[in-house]
Amino acid sequence: MRASFFQVLCVLLVIFCQEAICSFSPPRSKSREYYAKFEKIVAAKSKPLLSLEANRLKQDGKVFYPIGYGADPTGVKDSSAAILNALADAFKVSNGLELLRGVRDLGGVVIDLQGGSYKIDQPIRLPAQGGGNVVITSGSIRASSIFPGNRHLIELWSPSSQKAAGFYYEDITFHDILFDSSFRGGGIYVIDSARIRIDNCFFIHFSTQGVLVERGHETLVSNTFLGQYLTVGGDKREKDFTGTGIQLASNDNVITDVVIFSAAIGLTIRGQANMITGVHCYNKATYWGGIGILVNLPGNSQTRIDNCYLDYNAIVLEDPVQVHVSNVYFLGDGNIVLKSVKGQISGLNIVDNMFTGSAKANAPIVKLDGVFSNIDQVVVDRNTVNGMALKSTIGKSTVTGNGTKWTIDFSQVLLFPNKINHVQYSFYVRGQSGIPTHAVTNVTRNLVTVESDKAVYGVVSVEVDQYNRGGEISPYN
């Protein structure tokens, strides 16, 4: 046992001496392996330092970094010149191809904001020569205290637009960006551009518009939040909200899955063939004069509004022509207002919506603001109502009684006053043999009167509508 103990002790002394010698001698064999592993560990721990160094790069392939041009990602210094310089270089990239005629294909260049928060003293206007196939992504852009109050943080407009309308930008994508206008102007201004995407962005503190689109074609705004003030409702400042979340003075645009949480007007539409779906407006209550969606192209609207949520505010349609509103939920006495400009309505469908109100106000689900003299092809039907006054272009009712005259009043239900286009009725005599002679004798002021030539106990059912096909004239007026 004792010999065995000394043998183990000797082995341990040998190992100790080897380790001591190795610690004072150049790396060899196994030590080289340990040293190589150590280098890998150091390299791994140095990656943050390398990424900081990379932040000084202006360009990596077709990705351009404003920080490399001197932009301050902490938001202390003005970064507008640096961002403009990065854009200028990005728009010089060319593969010789074109998108729309005259719009250079830049091949998918990316302006990477790298998660920085950049203060700007002047608008970031995309280069005047135009271009397309560009992505601007991942950061925050904030207006400084000297930013001009009548401009937008980012502007897509070319001086050529002032001379002749055309397309100067195409396939420009804004993704994962916060736009803070600091109550000085707006967020994005798009003019004479085609197929622009604004996706997963956040617009706050605008005094004019979060997004303004003029002319051009097919701007898509999706998965985006817009609000003048940061609030989730019940804000004491609500009556003073101003500005517009999105204004479309352009055709064929799509707004989908968007929330507008504070502004005087959520969405203004001044162009044709626009599609609005999945939009939640609680920007300013109708009680305070707010409007959720304003269709502001009298006589030529051509707008579709589907599956939206009007939260205590209204949809206002000015002289609507070919407008479709369906599957919309209205809360808090929110309703649809038909505003007369020249007194024209044509091709209006308001169907399959839900309205929930306070009951005390007894607000109509559809309200006329002014007089309409030219009305055709209007359907208001199949809407469900709770706590509000039902309005429709179709009425059905039944009256019973013993006598020679039965009158049914549709004035509380029918949308338009003194307008009935079609009448159908049935006459049932209860408890008597024989059928008297009977007829509709009056259709005025949305009243229908049926009379018989002798007294009977009659059950009279009447169905009326205010729908007239294009050019059809009511025989009762």
Side-chain angles (χ1 to χ4, degrees):
M1 291 291 293
R2 184 175 298 174
S4 176
F5 172 78
F6 282 109
Q7 288 175 352
V8 171
L9 181 61
C10 290
V11 170
L12 289 173
L13 287 172
V14 170
I15 292 173
F16 176 79
C17 292
Q18 286 178 341
E19 290 293 324
I21 294 171
C22 289
S23 65
F24 292 99
S25 61
R28 306 173 187 271
S29 59
K30 281 284 185 185
S31 296
R32 285 196 179 96
E33 293 181 19
Y34 295 143
Y35 187 77
K37 290 180 180 179
F38 176 75
E39 282 185 317
K40 290 181 180 180
I41 293 172
V42 171
K45 291 184 177 294
S46 299
K47 282 183 180 179
L49 297 175
L50 293 175
S51 65
L52 288 175
E53 182 67 28
N55 283 341
R56 299 190 184 98
L57 293 176
K58 290 185 175 181
Q59 178 183 354
D60 182 6
K62 288 190 175 182
V63 181
F64 292 79
Y65 303 103
I67 293 176
Y69 288 79
D72 178 6
T74 68
V76 176
K77 299 178 181 179
D78 170 41
S79 295
S80 50
I83 297 174
L84 287 167
N85 289 335
L87 280 167
D89 283 354
F91 272 66
K92 292 175 183 176
V93 175
S94 178
N95 54 17
L97 301 176
E98 285 188 337
L99 298 173
L100 286 171
R101 184 176 180 181
V103 179
R104 295 177 306 114
D105 181 356
L106 304 180
V109 296
V110 176
I111 308 299
D112 188 352
L113 300 175
Q114 296 179 277
S117 180
Y118 304 92
K119 180 179 72 175
I120 59 173
D121 292 343
Q122 59 178 306
I124 304 302
R125 184 164 67 85
L126 269 60
Q129 71 269 27
N133 197 358
V134 179
V135 175
I136 303 174
T137 185
S138 304
S140 301
I141 299 176
R142 304 178 186 273
S144 73
S145 59
I146 62 172
F147 188 90
N150 61 344
R151 300 289 296 275
H152 292 72
L153 297 175
I154 291 185
E155 299 179 347
L156 279 68
W157 70 270
S158 169
S160 299
S161 291
Q162 299 173 346
K163 302 174 184 178
F167 294 107
Y168 301 96
Y169 303 95
E170 181 182 9
D171 187 20
I172 309 291
T173 299
F174 300 91
H175 192 276
D176 292 335
I177 302 176
L178 182 145
F179 296 86
D180 183 352
S181 300
S182 303
F183 299 105
R184 300 190 60 82
I188 291 182
Y189 175 37
V190 180
I191 182 171
D192 291 336
S193 303
R195 293 178 275 273
I196 306 302
R197 286 170 292 210
I198 301 171
D199 179 59
N200 204 39
C201 290
F202 202 99
F203 294 82
I204 57 174
H205 301 149
F206 48 84
S207 57
T208 53
Q209 308 90 10
V211 176
L212 172 60
V213 182
E214 291 185 350
R215 301 196 296 267
H217 189 70
E218 293 175 341
T219 293
L220 274 59
V221 182
S222 59
N223 305 305
T224 289
F225 296 87
L226 303 101
Q228 187 178 62
Y229 292 87
L230 290 166
T231 176
V232 290
D235 197 298
K236 294 180 179 179
R237 301 164 294 185
E238 182 173 347
K239 63 181 178 180
D240 299 318
F241 289 171
T242 61
T244 300
I246 301 173
Q247 181 170 315
L248 302 176
S250 173
N251 297 341
D252 304 341
N253 305 292
V254 179
I255 310 297
T256 182
D257 298 334
V258 165
V259 175
I260 305 171
F261 55 85
S262 60
I265 301 175
L267 173 59
T268 297
I269 304 171
R270 298 178 55 228
Q272 298 173 323
N274 291 292
M275 181 183 294
I276 314 302
T277 182
V279 174
H280 180 194
C281 295
Y282 63 101
N283 46 287
K284 186 176 187 178
T286 298
Y287 178 82
W288 298 114
I291 298 175
I293 300 174
L294 170 62
V295 180
N296 184 219
L297 190 62
N300 209 11
S301 318
Q302 297 176 340
T303 296
R304 293 150 294 169
I305 302 172
D306 182 70
N307 198 33
C308 294
Y309 176 15
L310 277 296
D311 196 343
Y312 280 79
N313 54 27
I315 293 176
V316 177
L317 310 175
E318 296 185 350
D319 275 9
V321 172
Q322 291 191 314
V323 174
H324 185 86
V325 181
S326 64
N327 303 306
V328 175
Y329 177 48
F330 294 84
L331 179 65
D333 295 320
N335 63 356
I336 298 174
V337 178
L338 308 181
K339 185 174 182 179
S340 175
V341 177
K342 294 184 179 180
Q344 177 186 13
I345 301 179
S346 179
L348 173 64
N349 298 319
I350 300 174
V351 295
D352 300 322
N353 302 288
M354 296 189 298
F355 296 82
T356 300
S358 61
K360 294 181 180 179
N362 198 35
I365 65 170
V366 182
K367 177 183 176 183
L368 300 180
D369 182 0
V371 177
F372 291 91
S373 56
N374 185 357
I375 303 167
D376 69 4
Q377 302 178 80
V378 177
V379 177
V380 180
D381 193 27
R382 302 197 309 268
N383 299 295
T384 63
V385 182
N386 181 13
M388 298 178 70
L390 174 66
K391 290 293 180 180
S392 177
T393 56
I394 297 175
K396 299 179 182 180
S397 187
T398 298
V399 294
T400 63
N402 194 8
T404 61
K405 188 176 183 178
W406 298 263
T407 298
I408 299 179
D409 185 356
F410 292 100
S411 61
Q412 297 302 309
V413 174
L414 293 180
L415 176 61
F416 301 107
N418 196 28
K419 177 179 171 59
I420 290 178
N421 285 81
H422 305 99
V423 177
Q424 291 182 326
Y425 81 98
S426 66
F427 193 98
Y428 171 69
V429 177
R430 182 179 294 173
Q432 292 180 237
S433 61
I435 300 175
T437 300
H438 54 83
V440 173
T441 58
N442 183 59
V443 181
T444 57
R445 300 188 305 278
N446 289 340
L447 302 174
V448 176
T449 300
V450 176
E451 295 187 67
S452 66
D453 65 346
K454 63 180 180 180
V456 295
Y457 193 93
V459 179
V460 180
S461 297
V462 180
E463 179 176 344
V464 299
D465 70 59
Q466 298 186 310
Y467 180 85
N468 58 287
R469 297 168 181 83
E472 180 185 10
I473 299 174
S474 170
Y476 304 107
N477 294 335

